[in-house]
Amino acid sequence: MKRLALLPLTALLLSACTGTVETLPALRLAVLADAGATLRTVTTGGGGGTLPSTPVVGPSVTVTDGVAVDTLPGGGARLLLTRRGGLESRDANLGDVRPFAPAFDAPGFVPPCFVTTALNAGRDRILSLSQCDTGGVLNGTQQLALYRTDGTLVWRAAVGGAAVVTGTDVPPVRVALVRRADGVDVGVVARPALGGGSEVVRVAVTTPGADRAEADLPVPTPAIRDLAPAPNGTTVYAATDTGVQPLGTNGVPVAEDALDAFGTGRVDRLWTSAGSGVAGRNLIAAWRDPRVSGLGTEPLRLWDASGTRNEALTVNAFADLRDVTFAPDGFLYALSSTTLSGYDTVIGLGSGNTGGTVNWRPVTLLSGLNDARGVTWLVP
């Protein structure tokens, strides 16, 4: 049994098969908290086969209108911070700020209000969607920016026709990025549709090398709650009201190809190890928002799609799960509005797959957070 291989480290790890105690690599988690107003880090690992009992918490750094954080390629040396006003990268100490190129400084575009970002499975392109709001309701022009990971702009696009949809259970706006066989990057936008459900718009350049992409006509779909990439770089999984389903070539979820491991119930959030920038095993985590089910908490379920067991295992129950990241130390890190926790996927999935008692070796890394929004991994 091997841990996820990504870090250029030679330290041996705790083996679930032999029971030998070995050393976990040092890892740093960056947390966006205080409704996107602060970034902070917590450093783990480097100890004898388990997370340290007292993780090292770094000082908070003030940011403006933070939306999300992601790990950039390069061994975890830098993170991507999406802010409403623009994207930027920072080093593992949250310094050395490098703003990305302006996205919409061209005729026909408006200043950005970025709301969601996704990297492709190959981790060499970044897609971010901008849409301004009034009173928390998204009602502005939708615009897309495709970036290289060094912050240079590949193309921009206007995605017209977005409906203003209000209500108590409106599907969110989500984006994903795939690469066609001809090497063309295709942005995928899932957004709420008038009358219910979602619609998917695919966006790509029509001329190689163009700096402006074109949007296809919207395709009606059932409600899409979240999107996450598969490792192959061409498949995107959708969280729907009837399970986890891959998108077809037209952008519509393919119900007959649903992932049986998660059943046919509603899924609101979806994460993959490919989406966290971790190579190796194909891990998928799914969660239903209990505000919809009315149950108070709902389980975060985890499935090893490259394993032999076709059933997702429950990691823990959450009332308000905000984000999840898979890290190369073999842990899944789950962020609620107030707490950051770690779960050992190697031991947990290994014990569950052999029919024994599932042991995730849970650990609390941060507590007392205020309105946390996102988490990603770095290497100190």
Side-chain angles (χ1 to χ4, degrees), residues 65-70 72 80-88 100-104 109-120 124-132 138 141-149 151-159 173-178 185-190 201 203 213 227:
D65 295 331
V67 174
V69 287
D70 293 280
L72 288 172
L80 169 69
L81 172 63
T82 300
R83 299 184 301 102
R84 291 282 282 170
L87 278 63
E88 64 189 37
F100 278 32
F104 306 123
F109 292 88
V110 299
C113 301
F114 288 110
V115 294
T116 186
T117 293
L119 278 79
N120 63 348
D124 63 352
R125 292 292 185 271
I126 299 163
L127 185 70
S128 196
L129 182 139
S130 168
Q131 185 177 21
C132 296
L138 295 175
T141 301
Q142 286 190 341
Q143 303 175 139
L144 279 179
L146 180 68
Y147 284 101
R148 301 175 186 90
T149 54
T152 55
L153 186 68
V154 180
W155 52 249
R156 57 177 69 91
V159 188
V173 176
R174 293 286 189 256
V175 297
L177 185 61
V178 296
D185 292 306
V186 180
V188 179
V189 179
V201 182
V203 183
L227 297 172

Side-chain angles (χ1 to χ4, degrees), residues 24-53:
L24 285 174
L27 193 84
R28 180 166 292 169
L29 287 309
V31 175
L32 181 66
D34 298 306
T38 63
L39 271 175
R40 71 188 68 189
T41 62
V42 55
T43 303
T44 74
T50 186
L51 295 173
S53 57

